Structures are given as C-alpha cells and as structure tokens.
Amino acid sequence: MDWTHLPPLSALRAFATVAEEGTLSAAGRRLNVSHAAISQQVRSLEDWFGCRLVRREGRGVCLTDEGRQLAGHLDTAFRGIRKAVDELSQAGQARPLQVTMTPSFAVHWLMPRLSEFRHLHPGIELSMNPTGEIVDLQPGGIDLALRYGSGEWPGLEAEALMHTPTVVVAARSLVGDRVFDDPSSLADFPWMQEYGTDEISAWFESQGVRTPPQIDITHMPGYMLLEGLRNGDGISIASKAFIQPLISSGALRVLFEKKDPGYGFHMVTLPGVKRAPLKVFMSWLRAQASRDGMRAAGDAAAHSEG
C-alpha cells in the first residue's frame, strides 16, 4: 500500500469521532484533545480532499454528502481494525504462559511457591518447561526464561531476579571435617551433576584445574540432586540460595564458594511489549525474591547476634 496517497490517520480518526459524537467539543473530550485541535484536524482533512466534510448546525455540526460517504467507509474500516486488535489481544490472553528454567530451579525454588501464585491468579494458565538446555525465545513460544548468568544475552532483555553465589557442597558423612585447600583434591570423591549441564568441568577450569579424567560423575535429574547430597552420594555444585537451609543446619558443608559480582538468576524475555499474564507473573517473582532477601538478611542478623 502506498501510504503517501492517504491522508494522516490522526485526521481520519478525528473526523470519524466528530461524525459519531456530532460536536467538535464532544469529539475532543473523547480523544482527550482540545476543541481547537479537532477543528484543525477536520480542516486539514477538508484541505486534503478539496471539499467540505462538515458544516455548523446550531451548537453542533452535520456532515455534508461527502462527509457522510467518508464517515461510512471509515466506520467499516475502523471496526475491522478494532476486531483484529481484539482477536489478537484475546488470543494472547488465552495462550498459556510458557516459562522455562532448569529442573533444579523449578524443584528447589519455584515449585514450592507456585500454589500461592495459582491462588492469587487462578485465571492465568502456566506451562512449565524444566530443562537443562537453553531454549530459544521466539514470538508465540516461550514467554520467560529463568537463567543463571551475568544477564548478558544478546538480543534479549534480562532483569536480575536474585544474586546468589555458586557453591561446591557435600554431606559431612562423605567428606567429614577435612579442609580442602586444593580443588584438585576433590577429584578422589564421587560427583553428581544435573542432566544437560557441564558445571563440574566449568568449575574446575575456573579454579585453574583441568578436569581430572578419572573423576567419577553421576548425571541425574535436578530433583534427585538434593536427596543425593543429603545421603552423601557425592559432591555437587549448586546455587547457595537453593540449599541454604541444609548448610545452616550443618547437614551440608560448603567446600568452595565462587562469588561472581552480577551473576545470579535473571528473568529473560524478548524485547518489546509484554502481554498482561507475563507482567503479572514477573511482578510476583520479584515479590518472592524480595521476600527471600529480607528473610536471609534477618537470618544473618540473628546469627551474628547469637
């Protein structure tokens, strides 16, 4: 379509509103602009067509023959636009909110809280996709990814949800009270790792140690890791926020802790306007993370006083 051969849409909208309301003042109130602005838009449209579209009649206006002809076509056109907008908006509202995250995040942080969200927002249908794989965000697909990292994902918007260090942990029944100064000394113990991740090799490399070839690694679903840690089945790497209660109780020991400024879990979305269910869910996630932060601060204060 050659848009240069059409009058301004704002002028067409102003004229269509005058045709519906019958007065310039009423049209201005409806569009939240002044009487003079509406009058100017109508005059510019008349100049564009080279004919009168309205004429004054008492305190209002009436349409000329040309004005009635244009108003009829505009009414049909604008109703078609409104129908398309409503259909797309309703489709977006009805489509389940699709969220992806690692199984560990789902099991240890998100799932215990979801009943509260369902109670508060029963009309929002959630579709959860726990996976260790990085899922691409595409229009009409995944709405939100909860990812661990620095927040730098090209082409995507990332908002920090919670900052938490990565820790290497094990049960006392496995490692006792032994002090580990050299990361390579952990190679003699069994390890556990979530499917789809390469956290163990990445951690050894970050410590300047090449992953020992003889290391015993068991790969398992994220929901099994916590139980395996409790049982002393192996050493694992986890986000400290997920296992803080077990650390505080003494059930697990932190052998090494890696604090990366800026690193943590982020809410990752496509750029652009977010549909209403997504905005509601992200707001709820922020509240949950804030609540955890306040609770952790209170626990730390109580521990220092004790």
Side-chain angles (χ1 to χ4, degrees):
M1 178 178 290
D2 187 356
W3 293 98
T4 61
H5 289 79
L6 289 176
L9 181 60
S10 57
L12 292 173
R13 184 180 66 161
F15 171 73
T17 308
V18 170
E20 289 182 0
E21 297 293 338
T23 69
L24 299 176
S25 297
R29 288 193 295 271
R30 184 169 169 186
L31 296 179
N32 197 29
V33 297
S34 68
H35 169 282
I38 293 292
S39 179
Q40 183 179 358
Q41 292 278 24
V42 173
R43 284 199 304 270
S44 70
L45 201 58
E46 290 177 330
D47 291 342
W48 196 93
F49 283 110
C51 65
R52 295 291 300 275
L53 299 175
V54 301
R55 64 172 180 267
R56 291 193 175 277
E57 188 175 81
R59 294 188 176 182
V61 296
C62 67
L63 304 182
T64 64
D65 290 341
E66 293 83 358
R68 281 192 293 271
Q69 181 182 5
L70 178 60
H73 289 300
L74 289 179
D75 183 68
T76 301
F78 282 129
R79 286 182 185 275
I81 293 173
R82 179 56 187 267
K83 180 180 179 183
V85 170
D86 288 345
E87 287 176 352
L88 288 175
S89 298
Q90 291 168 7
Q93 295 288 344
R95 182 169 64 85
L97 187 65
Q98 300 189 59
V99 185
T100 184
M101 75 298 293
T102 64
S104 291
F105 187 95
V107 171
H108 303 316
W109 195 87
L110 186 57
M111 293 304 295
R113 296 166 165 79
L114 271 186
S115 60
E116 176 184 322
F117 181 81
R118 288 194 293 266
H119 175 73
L120 293 173
H121 307 284
I124 297 179
E125 183 179 356
L126 293 174
S127 177
M128 314 301 289
N129 178 23
T131 175
E133 304 293 330
I134 295 179
V135 181
D136 288 336
L137 275 65
Q138 298 291 340
I142 296 295
D143 295 285
L144 173 67
L146 298 166
R147 294 181 181 174
Y148 184 86
S150 65
E152 298 294 329
W153 290 282
L156 299 173
E157 293 182 353
E159 177 186 333
L161 181 63
M162 67 173 79
H163 294 290
T164 177
T166 299
V167 290
V168 177
V169 289
R172 291 185 181 276
S173 60
L174 178 65
V175 298
D177 293 321
R178 176 180 169 183
V179 176
F180 297 91
D181 296 319
D182 182 4
S184 62
S185 62
L186 297 179
D188 298 331
F189 291 89
W191 284 73
M192 300 179 297
Q193 181 171 266
E194 185 174 356
Y195 280 131
T197 67
D198 193 25
E199 293 176 329
I200 295 175
S201 295
W203 180 78
F204 272 111
E205 290 177 7
S206 72
Q207 301 299 309
V209 179
R210 184 176 179 181
T211 308
Q214 78 280 7
I215 192 169
D216 176 14
I217 302 177
T218 301
H219 300 266
M220 61 183 65
Y223 69 87
M224 296 178 62
L225 273 175
L226 195 58
E227 191 63 28
L229 281 169
R230 285 196 190 99
N231 294 338
D233 295 333
I235 297 172
S236 190
I237 299 173
S239 295
K240 193 174 184 180
F242 296 163
I243 55 174
Q244 186 60 58
L246 291 175
I247 296 172
S248 299
S249 70
L252 296 181
R253 280 189 57 203
V254 175
L255 308 181
F256 290 91
E257 182 169 332
K258 182 181 179 183
K259 296 181 179 179
D260 294 313
Y263 271 68
F265 285 95
H266 293 76
M267 298 186 290
V268 185
T269 60
L270 289 170
V273 178
K274 298 171 179 60
R275 59 195 184 104
L278 175 57
K279 290 191 286 187
V280 170
F281 189 63
M282 291 178 68
S283 178
W284 177 79
L285 288 173
R286 292 185 198 101
Q288 295 297 312
S290 176
R291 188 183 306 170
D292 280 5
M294 290 187 290
R295 185 183 300 117
D299 291 345
H303 180 73
S304 63
E305 291 175 1

